[in-house]
Amino acid sequence: MDETIRISGLSKSYAGNKVLTDISLSVAAGEVYGLLGANGAGKSTMIECILGTRRADSGSVRIMGLDPWKNRKQLFEEVGVQFQETHYPEKMKVRELCEETACLYEKAADWEMLLEQFALGDKKHAFIQELSGGQKQRLFIILALIPEPKVVFLDELTTGLDTKARRSVWKSLLRLKEQGLTIFLSSHFMDEVEVLCDRIGILKDGGFIFTGTAEEAMAQSGCGRLEDAYLWFTGEEGTEDA
Amino acid sequence: MHKFITMLKTEFTLSIRGMDMVIFALCMPVAVTVILGCMYGSKPAFEGAEYTFLEQSFGAISTIAVCAGGVMGLPLVISDYRQKKILKRYQVTPTSPVLLLAVQAAVYGVYSLLSLILVFLVSALFFGMHLPGSWGMFLAAYLLVMMSMFSIGVMVGGVSRDMKTASIAASILYFPMLIFSGATLPYEVMPEALQRAVNLLPLTQGIKLLKAASLGLPIKSAGIPVIIMCACAVICGGIAVRFFRWE
């Protein structure tokens, strides 16, 4: 299988605090990889170091064979990103944000179709600030899909969405997966990870404490549910939840 | 180029919706023109002058928008976009955040030119202004003023910690510059001591050039204004590039 993302020996520390320690992983083309871990475990830092918006202290990252730091322009023609929080200028309309995003790429997806697909077709002329939390989140996923990417990074995919909205996002992503899209996501929701992800990695204190499939996680921990397995690995069961 | 135009269109629309610049860069210069026109009408600038007071003031009034956009609008939008991590979003696209900054500078360039046209039309149609000077020289000087003012703006926006700091710094720079450089309060009515002090402001120098160019007066010492404005552009631009922070 073709390797789409390859990370080796990634480390990062802030002011002497190690946030990521010697992270290595590889994601195959068409695979959906889920990054799990408590708040502060290093998920967002890891995604930012992979994308090159933060410079790792050591280690190397290749996405489709390209170095995100050196080949930024070439790489981001084909990589879509949704950060944990997406921001936009005040008083901007949905249509304007889509247009402005689409114009940055040599070939961009038909964003009006994406709006329809994510049930935002009637919000085209609405101000972004007037959208509900779920509608905004869907819009930001659309922004990540506008480059017609081969790989997307989705940080905290469905945080803030209600059950129905989450299901519809899953459905759209599964459809894209069938078309061969490679997806790297981080999430707090085990049901989501079970439905979407081929493989998962659990981060704790900046290092992987588990990598493999959801089934393997359950088998290794002897738990029948992924949520229990996750807590077993992170050792968070019974302790105060952060 | 296509993306530059698309973004310019959107960002200009957003700025119009914000209204601040419509007031400070378009309405205000026109208001000053009307006030000066009504007060001094077609009176000569001084006894025996070959040009009117308003004709003398045209160059100064035309910089109000440059000052508002460069020293107020630009730093605020840059620090706002950084604080909201909008610049960071551009780091994960094939273009660089520099595109967004260039578009913003262009937005304020458009405001400045619009204001120049408006002020000219109002002065010419309602107050019979006639400028014997050279438009080519005037536009060259205008461009130089824009460069020096916008470089101040990019510097302030680039190095400010957050939007609040940028807003305070912008106000400290904007209001004295607007009042004392001769953009609103005519340089000619200031006492001599004040004139000497405000000569240090780059905008004062720019306005001197604009006046000479618009009135067709011989430029006795264009060297000093040009040097001061270029120095301002180079120093502020240099600081901006050196200390710029994307987030």
Side-chain angles (χ1 to χ4, degrees), chain B residues 11 20 26 99 110 114 116 118 122 125 156 164 167 169 174 177 180 183 186 193 219 228-229 231 236:
Chain B
E11 295 297 320
D20 305 12
L26 298 180
L99 173 74
V110 171
L114 279 179
L116 179 64
L118 276 177
V122 170
L125 295 179
V156 172
K164 214 169 190 174
S167 152
Y174 172 69
M177 193 113 77
F180 293 117
I219 301 174
I228 289 187
M229 279 191 291
C236 297

Side-chain angles (χ1 to χ4, degrees), chain B residues 1-244:
Chain B
M1 207 57 209
H2 164 71
K3 58 186 164 194
F4 191 87
I5 300 294
T6 308
M7 287 183 64
L8 180 59
K9 204 181 73 197
T10 309
E11 295 297 320
F12 195 73
T13 313
L14 290 180
S15 170
I16 297 267
R17 262 181 221 146
M19 276 309 284
D20 305 12
M21 279 300 128
V22 176
I23 294 167
F24 286 107
L26 298 180
C27 297
M28 191 153 139
V30 170
V32 172
T33 310
V34 171
I35 291 168
L36 288 183
C38 291
M39 277 170 67
Y40 299 103
S42 46
K43 276 185 215 156
F46 50 86
E47 262 191 39
E50 286 170 19
Y51 44 85
T52 67
F53 192 87
L54 188 63
E55 284 164 0
Q56 175 184 262
S57 300
F58 175 74
I61 301 171
S62 70
T63 62
I64 293 176
V66 182
C67 189
V71 186
M72 202 71 168
L74 207 48
L76 292 187
V77 82
I78 291 174
S79 60
D80 184 37
Y81 277 20
R82 184 184 43 228
Q83 199 177 345
K84 287 193 184 138
K85 302 198 173 181
I86 293 167
L87 293 177
K88 183 174 152 190
R89 186 151 52 79
Y90 279 79
Q91 286 186 296
V92 291
T93 70
T95 48
S96 101
V98 173
L99 173 74
L100 192 59
L101 297 184
V103 167
Q104 291 303 336
V107 166
Y108 294 105
V110 171
Y111 273 119
S112 302
L113 291 177
L114 279 179
S115 138
L116 179 64
I117 294 168
L118 276 177
V119 169
F120 178 80
L121 288 178
V122 170
S123 311
L125 295 179
F126 299 108
F127 302 106
M129 184 184 71
H130 169 74
L131 294 176
S134 140
W135 271 108
M137 286 288 288
F138 185 86
L139 287 176
Y142 200 69
L143 206 66
L144 194 60
V145 174
M146 257 198 233
M147 262 170 53
S148 65
M149 288 298 107
F150 287 11
S151 68
I152 294 177
V154 176
M155 177 187 74
V156 172
V159 302
S160 299
R161 187 173 298 280
D162 50 32
M163 200 172 161
K164 214 169 190 174
T165 321
S167 152
I168 292 167
S171 303
I172 290 174
L173 286 170
Y174 172 69
F175 289 106
M177 193 113 77
L178 190 70
I179 294 166
F180 293 117
S181 65
T184 43
L185 186 68
Y187 179 80
E188 287 73 15
V189 306
M190 292 179 195
E192 209 174 310
L194 187 60
Q195 281 189 351
R196 244 176 284 150
V198 301
N199 269 340
L200 294 170
L201 297 172
L203 190 55
T204 313
Q205 300 297 332
I207 289 174
K208 282 187 178 177
L209 267 190
L210 290 172
K211 264 182 194 164
S214 60
L215 296 171
L217 299 177
I219 301 174
K220 278 168 283 180
S221 48
I224 293 171
V226 171
I227 289 169
I228 289 187
M229 279 191 291
C230 288
C232 171
V234 169
I235 293 169
C236 297
I239 293 174
V241 170
R242 175 68 186 77
F243 295 102
F244 199 88

Side-chain angles (χ1 to χ4, degrees), chain A residues 82-140:
Chain A
Q82 176 230 326
F83 284 122
Q84 193 171 348
E85 288 168 70
T86 304
H87 301 275
Y88 48 88
E90 246 176 90
K91 294 187 178 155
M92 196 177 217
K93 290 179 178 174
V94 170
R95 172 182 61 79
E96 290 162 345
L97 184 58
C98 290
E99 264 175 9
E100 228 184 50
T101 306
C103 81
L104 302 175
Y105 299 95
E106 272 174 26
K107 73 176 175 32
D110 179 353
W111 52 265
E112 297 195 53
M113 235 166 69
L114 284 170
L115 284 178
E116 292 295 339
Q117 206 181 328
F118 282 84
L120 287 173
D122 57 334
K123 296 288 175 198
K124 201 166 98 181
H125 298 290
F127 284 104
I128 302 169
Q129 65 213 34
E130 287 165 0
L131 300 182
S132 71
Q135 289 168 333
K136 274 186 200 162
Q137 190 73 8
R138 261 144 50 210
L139 175 61
F140 301 149

